[in-house]
Amino acid sequence: MQTFIHYFLHLVFPFFIAFLFFRKDWKKVYLILIATMLVDLDHLFANPIFQADRCSINFHFLHTYYAMLIYVLLLFFRKPFNVIGIGLLFHMLTDFINCLIMYSGCKECFADSPAIELLKATSRLLGI
């Protein structure tokens, strides 16, 4: 179920964002939102490149809190930059939800995760 949720949020939910909030240009916006998946190219710099139980938040350089601040700043620019910011931030939220799901299943497994404090705080807040 975790994999389904993760890829649904990455590939299908952006359609709803585009259609509901950018109805006039929804096709173009949807393509931009999908293109923000290229942020995952930073995974190529990790060793190993893919690790199923790794939380990408604050691990990969384009998934850091500093990068996310830049993505927030993009929201204040005109199209297409604000749409890119929305896509990148939604991507980070999707990855964080994935991290939370994994964390809820094995808290000890993430003791060394760079996002451990955020995971702890959020799980306390949500009662997970």
Side-chain angles (χ1 to χ4, degrees), residues 39-40 42-43 56 58 60-64 68 91-92 95:
V39 74
D40 279 340
D42 63 356
H43 292 239
S56 61
N58 219 31
H60 303 290
F61 65 90
L62 294 177
H63 289 68
T64 62
M68 290 180 218
H91 184 101
M92 297 303 124
D95 284 359

Side-chain angles (χ1 to χ4, degrees), residues 35-105:
T36 61
M37 297 268 287
L38 290 171
V39 74
D40 279 340
L41 287 174
D42 63 356
H43 292 239
L44 296 174
F45 295 96
N47 188 14
I49 291 173
F50 176 75
Q51 187 176 347
D53 62 345
R54 179 170 56 213
C55 178
S56 61
I57 300 299
N58 219 31
F59 182 84
H60 303 290
F61 65 90
L62 294 177
H63 289 68
T64 62
Y65 302 137
Y66 299 112
M68 290 180 218
L69 287 173
I70 295 169
Y71 306 156
V72 169
L73 291 176
L74 287 173
L75 298 175
F76 298 98
F77 289 88
R78 292 185 187 174
K79 267 199 233 176
F81 299 105
N82 63 343
V83 175
I84 293 168
I86 291 167
L88 290 168
L89 288 170
F90 189 74
H91 184 101
M92 297 303 124
L93 177 64
T94 297
D95 284 359
F96 183 67
I97 290 168
N98 195 53
C99 293
L100 272 176
I101 292 170
M102 291 187 296
Y103 178 74
S104 69

Side-chain angles (χ1 to χ4, degrees), residues 13 34 88 127:
F13 198 80
I34 292 300
L88 290 168

Side-chain angles (χ1 to χ4, degrees), residues 10-19 22 25-36 83:
H10 272 320
L11 300 171
V12 179
F13 198 80
F15 164 79
F16 295 107
I17 294 172
F19 192 76
F22 300 93
D25 300 320
W26 75 267
K27 291 176 188 175
K28 180 180 173 184
V29 169
Y30 177 69
L31 289 175
I32 292 170
L33 294 175
I34 292 300
T36 61
V83 175

